[in-house]
Amino acid sequence: MLEYHAAYYQAPEDDGWYVVSVLDFPGVNTQGRTLREARLMVKDALQTMVQSYLEQGQRLPKPDTKAKDSTAKRIEKVRIEVLVHRPVPT
């Protein structure tokens, strides 16, 4: 199981929406109307990006336990399980 760090931002000009970026996995960004929705969306976005990396044979970025952003409203851990299936030789 891998544990990445999601930063949640909320600005008045975003009409209450949460914008989320995974600090230690570049390119994983999403948003949600509520915090609950944003949490679901970031987990889905992260899982999709992990699957894409694996399908392309790319290495996953290592989670950074020190990932921080002082401008974020909150930072939460996002856990994902990575299962790598290899063909069984015949």
Side-chain angles (χ1 to χ4, degrees):
M1 184 170 297
L2 296 173
E3 196 171 76
Y4 289 96
H5 301 83
Y8 295 79
Y9 306 91
Q10 196 175 32
E13 62 269 15
D14 292 331
D15 295 326
W17 283 68
Y18 287 86
V19 175
V20 190
S21 293
V22 178
L23 299 174
D24 36 7
F25 202 122
V28 180
N29 303 291
T30 190
Q31 62 184 8
R33 187 177 303 272
T34 64
L35 182 57
R36 183 178 186 277
E37 186 177 287
R39 285 176 175 147
L40 293 171
M41 296 296 289
V42 75
K43 188 158 186 155
D44 183 60
L46 183 56
Q47 192 67 53
T48 300
M49 189 68 94
V50 165
Q51 183 178 352
S52 176
Y53 266 56
L54 293 176
E55 286 173 0
Q56 295 174 23
Q58 295 178 304
R59 289 186 141 167
L60 299 178
K62 289 186 181 182
D64 180 3
T65 58
K66 297 177 183 176
K68 289 186 173 51
D69 184 346
S70 61
T71 64
K73 181 173 181 137
R74 66 189 314 128
I75 295 179
E76 296 179 349
K77 295 175 184 176
V78 181
R79 294 183 180 104
I80 58 163
E81 191 169 340
V82 178
L83 300 174
V84 179
H85 299 281
R86 296 178 191 227
V88 177
T90 55

